[in-house]
Amino acid sequence: MSSSNPKSSDKSFVYREFGNDNSAATERPIPELPAQQQNLKVQASRKGRKGKTVTVISGFQAKPETLADLVKQLKTQCGTGGTVKDNEIEIQGEHKQKIVDILSKLGYKAKISGG
C-alpha cells in the first residue's frame, strides 16, 4: 500500500494498538446491586504501603460513579483521605468500626474481616 492511494484508509487494518478503539463493545457491564444485597468486607491493611495503615472496603458490585460518591462521603465522615482502586475503596488510617457503622446506616451489609 502506498500512502498516496486515496482508497487506503484505516478501515483496512488488521491490528491496531492505539486509536479509535471500541472498548464499549468488549467491556463487561458491572451489575449495579442495591445496597442491601451487597456483602462488603472491611479490613485494615499495611501491605505494600510503606507501613501506613489503610482501611480497605471490598466486595462492591457498583458503578464507578456510585463508588466515587461513597468514597467522598466516607472521607468526610472519617476526616481523612481515600481513593477507589480496582473496585475497592481505600480510606487512610484505621477506621474499621466507624466505616462498618456508616455503611450499615446506608443499608450495606458490612463485616470486619481479618485481624
Side-chain angles (χ1 to χ4, degrees):
M1 275 195 236
S2 69
S3 60
S4 63
N5 185 355
K7 291 188 177 185
S8 69
S9 67
D10 287 342
K11 293 178 183 171
S12 63
F13 66 87
V14 174
Y15 170 77
R16 180 185 297 182
E17 185 170 346
F18 301 106
N20 300 327
D21 64 334
N22 293 331
S23 61
T26 59
E27 192 176 291
R28 285 190 203 161
I30 299 173
E32 179 85 29
L33 287 180
Q36 301 82 8
Q37 295 180 8
Q38 296 193 38
N39 295 315
L40 306 179
K41 289 193 295 185
V42 180
Q43 60 188 18
S45 174
R46 297 171 116 181
K47 194 178 271 187
R49 295 177 179 89
K50 299 180 183 169
K52 306 278 187 199
T53 303
V54 296
T55 304
V56 180
I57 308 148
S58 58
F60 285 104
Q61 292 184 341
K63 294 180 179 171
E65 301 84 35
T66 307
L67 291 180
D69 292 342
L70 184 59
V71 76
K72 185 175 182 180
Q73 191 172 359
L74 290 172
K75 286 171 19 179
T76 304
Q77 299 235 346
C78 292
T80 185
T83 187
V84 177
K85 284 186 183 172
D86 300 328
N87 221 25
E88 294 181 342
I89 292 179
E90 295 182 1
I91 301 293
Q92 295 174 357
E94 189 165 338
H95 302 282
K96 292 188 289 192
Q97 191 58 52
K98 191 175 199 177
I99 288 175
V100 168
D101 294 342
I102 294 167
L103 290 173
S104 296
K105 286 178 188 170
L106 293 173
Y108 290 94
K109 293 183 209 168
K111 285 189 209 173
I112 294 178
S113 171

